[in-house]
Amino acid sequence: MSIRVLLRDQPHRAIALVTSTHALVLRHSPSTTDSVPNFTSTSIQQAPSNGGIIPRCIVEFSRLTLVDLDDYRSLDTLAVQGTLGLITVNNDVFLCVVNGASRVATVRPGETVQRIHSVAFHCLNRSDYDHILNDDINPYPIDVISQDGAEHGHGQGQGRREPTLEHPCLALKKLLSSGTFYYSVDFDLTKRLQDRSNDSSAFDVENLDEGFLWNSYMIGPLLKFRSRLAAQDREALDSSRILTSAIRGFVLTAPISASTSPLRAARSGLTSTLTLISRLSCRRAGTRFNSRGIDDDGNAANFVETETVFWSPSGVCFSYAQIRGSVPVFWEQATNLLPGQQKIQITRSPEATQPAFDKHFESLEVHYGAVHVLNLLSESKPGEVELTRRYRGHVQHSPLNSGAEKGVAADYQLLKETEFDFHAETKGPSGYEAASMVRHLIQGSADGFGYYMSEDNDNGSMQAGQQHASLKGSNVVLLQEGVFRTNCLDCLDRTNLIQTIISQMTTEAFLAQRGERASPDFWMRHSSLWADNGDSLSKIYAGTGALKSSFTRHGKMSFAGAIADARKSATRMYINNFADKGRQETIDMLLGRLMEQVAVQLYDPINDYVIAELNKRSGEYSASKPISIWVGTFNLNGNLLGRTHDMREDLSPWLCPKLDVSQQQPEIVAIGFQEIVELSPQHIMSTDPAGRQMWEKAVKRTLNEKVRGSGSEEYVLLRSGQLVGAALSIFVKANVLGDIKDVEGSVKKTGMSGMAGNKGAVAIRMDYASTRICFVTAHLAAGFANYEERNRDYRTINHGLRFQRNRSIEDHDTIIWLGDFNYRIGLSDEKVRKLMNIGDLETLYENDQLNLQMVAGLTFPFYSESRITFMPTYKFDHGTDNYDTSEKGRIPAWTDRILRKGTNLRQITYDSAPLRFSDHRPVYATFQCVVNVVNQSLKDAMSREIYDRRRIEVGDLTANTRLDDTDDEDLIGYDSIAPGLPPASSDRRKWWLDNGLPARSNIQAPGEEYVPNPQRPSNPFSQTTEPDWIQKPRAPAPRTTSIKIRDSSTSEGAPDQGAHGLRKLPPPYYPASSAASLPTSFSQMHSVHSSGRDLAIHSTSSEPRIAPLSPETTRKPAPPVPKKPTVLRTPSSQGSQMQGLNKKEKSNSPSDTVLDARHVSSYTVPGVYSDSVKFPPPPRKSTAAMSQIPSTHRVPDARQHRTIRPSTHDPTDNGPPLPPRVPSTNSRNNGVMDECDEDMQSMTSWEPLRPS
């Protein structure tokens, strides 16, 4: 199905994937303000340029008729087959689409496989990359394309202008365009034929095998979005084929003509197919020297499932699966420019390895059945011999092999091992042809495992003229009940050749069962497929094609093939040493395993609520428990074990001191050694593990002798590491191995500017339950005055030492440094010894270099050290307690230290031990560490429960809502500024409302005679002495006052009202602040009624009367706002205070004349002012909208048309109530006080807020 990629730039950037019926719209939200926690920069993902803001996206999937695409334009000129998902790079969100693919396989009719050879990354939140990366990658596959997807040679890049901005997804694009990724829209490509459903070729994306789904990290947010859709929309999204699932490995179909097909169809002329599918696991993915062995979850490196599928038009289908994978123990191998010099290092003891080994094979047994291990390692190379020995021992101790102890026949064991030295067997004159001898060793298991076979039953049909078979009518005849697991060192060249032989064996058995034999042409195509498979898998893991592929392809080794193998070996050496680190980081980025990588956030208010609720209820699914940690450091001064003393007795005061009962058997024991070998010139450039292994045996023996007496669990060596003379070993109780995973080690050289290992650090990290713990032993620069160099060594180690997935030392919850830091005491030798004699350790510590540098913040920032209560540990005469008496006269110092960092860590003891066979004294410390244990299954169940309940409460408020007329601020909202406070509100989001219900106030006035005080400031948190409520003013007694004014002139041609044109005059009012500017008090205007003038004001009642609004004079009632503060008053507003004279009312008495201020420009009050006081007419205001409002909805202002009080007005009164407010003549809006009108009656139940 064709998919178009459309882009909209305004008002918010959005990308739409449009099919003929539906559209998936992804829109960036620029208003989100989530920050990145603990963000650090790397070569690929650097610190965000937008201030640490993570862009969030809103996703909408709907029918095409409901989406307005008028503002969209085409973004990708190539046809798009689907999307691989979303990924965040440099804090920008990118959508990855497949814009180049070709069909490479047809497994069965209707089951096609596409090979990806071009992808595009479109940024959702920036337009800077819209025109970049169009020509960097050749979109069409060619034979000379490299493993990174870029074409080499043939003038690539010549005459091409360099882009001004490098696309941040360039490495990812090269990886995904390398021709090693495949997908299918017809069936589940992540599962073998036997595990797929036979009744339909369709598949559910939720049931994909994530172990082989390479875009699981990128497609994950969209799959979660899909799971929240309604069933109808979910089906529409699946049928649109927008979401794509990709595997990595090799897929290819070789057509077999009817003349050469081993199974003849009933109708001639139809082609059979032979397909090879290799699925590379992404669980422990990586390059050759960066991914070895297994992890704590039992995932093996370079684990590949290869399936051979043969389909015949007669309806018969054959399938056989094999697996390969690295030796399933914990081992590593460092790169080296010299071939064959890459030393193998086993990093864990057999006891610590067995749990992970058992997990691996138990998983294989559940998925495949019985497992037959075929080990092809050499019996003459020391490293491979050690791996074979360990492999054999773990197989013997595996629970799957327990039947052997009970006398069960070997043919019926679930786990069986066969060792076959490939190199030794093929050295003879027969060459690689001798490898076929392996047939005799595995024939029994091959017969017992069987193979998968299905046939069309009577319901199946063949359509004339078409190659079609009804898969719904297929019937399973046989199932494969076991699997061969083949390995060599790299699981590439030797493994691929042996697997070719096994595939041929089982295919022959399948044909023999049907009484058929294959032709040479069939076997040639079979060998060609396996040779291409070996080349593809080898390019992925090692960077070049497979060795020995010439023999695999043609059945014999030629001279040209030998030359090609030599060239491939040289190329591998270069790639492994100089390119694999970058390739590994790209793979980790694709899989979302970098430490700083932030997953894409799709807007979902329900999911955000679930996360917040889970955080609040974390105590229900997680628990904290304390564990004990013992840490010790010892500079051995090059002494070998047992040279002069019996270590069994001598190590006990250090390893098993007299401690509190709770600290006597710690769960973790971390021991650091320095100068474990003599630091001679021939030693500082290489590492000899013999000395470390001797010390590890002595330590383990001492620890277990102590615990055997109490009957508790023994200690096992979890992992060790060494850098020349510095070594770090971690021992743990056997019963806590199940809580520990992701154990990794790393080293960092600092000697000779990083060239030599005489100085440096060794680090080991682990996850204990959900707590990340890191131990670092270091040997820093020596010399009394070299404290600045020691500071630099610390910074080099802290910033330069990296674990897998770019983890640093600081990326841990608990960090403990131990070792010989070489910081000295800054006093003379004589003074130091004198202070030691009197026991003044405080003065010594005040002059300690490490203490002073830490206080100054120049080294080990934010680390802590317990109080030192023991004497300096350096330097002693050998075998005595005397400090250095040689000619050099070394000043005693605390060179051996233990520092800690972590809020969950509490140090209990800190002391030294009296071991005298070195010039240092060993130091130890005990800690209590609180680790967090999360019950993941319970957490997932709670998450589903909260999500379902919340969805019922909020209804259809999901990310699938229409987005065109919705503000992001209203959709997404804001985070709370502090714990316990609600998020900020907006026009659409009000945190005080319950699911959209109207607001109800429970605030009541103290009494019916009270109203809110309009004198209070509008800001409820402002300091004021005004009360919240005031009493209503009492109504005056009814009286009639007549004031007659004779108009001297008319304004703007206003008609003469005549002698009987009396009008009501509302009382003019001047604020207190402007009263001083008047020539006389306003109260004087009330006394004119007694002078006999023709000024009349008529009032018949104490209640105000409201005149009906005529069409030409009606205006919107002014809101009862309080007096404007002085700082907000303008001179123009003072002059317009008399504009309240703007209401027209018919008088009930013909003798009363009411003055209309709209029809006069000025009037004179004789005897009051020397000159006439002119009041400008108020501006007209449109009342068209108000005139259409029913009179029942108009709320009159209780303060309109009040009468002027008689001359008995109290001078101390603040004046009459507020007049109606009208806009100033200078402005249509007087500011913050005049923007809305409110009904005072409706506010009587509200109480102003006060700060708590």
Side-chain angles (χ1 to χ4, degrees), residues 383-517:
E384 297 188 18
V385 169
E386 180 62 20
L387 283 177
T388 298
R389 186 184 65 81
R390 292 287 297 273
Y391 202 170
R392 186 188 309 119
H394 288 301
V395 169
Q396 293 173 355
H397 292 87
S398 172
L400 300 179
N401 207 18
S402 59
E405 302 174 359
K406 300 178 183 180
V408 178
D411 293 339
Y412 297 98
Q413 294 177 9
L414 293 177
L415 181 58
K416 182 180 179 181
E417 183 195 21
T418 297
E419 297 174 3
F420 182 78
D421 187 348
F422 182 89
H423 289 312
E425 298 292 342
T426 58
K427 276 186 177 180
S430 300
Y432 295 141
E433 295 180 3
S436 60
M437 292 189 304
V438 75
R439 287 171 173 262
H440 306 290
L441 300 176
I442 63 175
Q443 187 65 53
S445 295
D447 294 338
F449 292 163
Y451 46 83
Y452 171 85
M453 186 180 71
S454 65
E455 291 181 345
D456 287 349
N457 54 24
D458 295 338
N459 296 328
S461 63
M462 290 296 301
Q463 298 181 3
Q466 296 182 6
Q467 183 174 328
H468 176 80
S470 176
L471 298 181
K472 294 183 179 180
S474 61
N475 183 34
V476 177
V477 179
L478 290 175
L479 289 176
Q480 183 177 343
E481 299 178 353
V483 68
F484 285 102
R485 188 194 190 279
T486 310
N487 71 270
C488 55
L489 194 64
D490 297 323
C491 301
L492 296 176
D493 315 317
R494 293 174 277 181
T495 298
N496 194 73
L497 198 154
I498 295 298
Q499 285 193 334
T500 305
I501 297 174
I502 297 175
S503 176
Q504 184 174 350
M505 287 177 58
T506 54
T507 306
E508 289 174 348
F510 157 69
L511 295 176
Q513 188 266 340
R514 302 186 65 86
E516 301 287 351
R517 295 185 62 184

Side-chain angles (χ1 to χ4, degrees), residues 17 24 26 82-88 93-98 119-124 169 172 176 214-223 242-246 590 600 602:
L17 299 178
L24 180 70
L26 299 102
T83 176
L84 294 177
L86 299 162
I87 192 168
T88 303
V93 177
F94 290 89
L95 173 69
C96 179
V97 296
V98 179
V119 298
F121 286 87
H122 301 303
C123 187
L124 284 178
C169 298
L172 287 173
L176 292 171
W214 273 71
N215 64 323
S216 60
Y217 173 76
M218 294 198 300
I219 204 69
L222 293 177
L223 291 181
I242 292 178
L243 304 183
T244 303
S245 56
L590 175 65
V600 175
L602 295 183

Side-chain angles (χ1 to χ4, degrees), residues 123 127 144 280 326 330 387 449 606 631 672 722 744 834 960:
C123 187
S127 60
V144 295
L280 176 63
S326 184
F330 292 93
L387 283 177
F449 292 163
I606 303 179
V631 178
Q722 183 177 353
E744 300 174 12
K834 182 177 179 180
N960 201 29

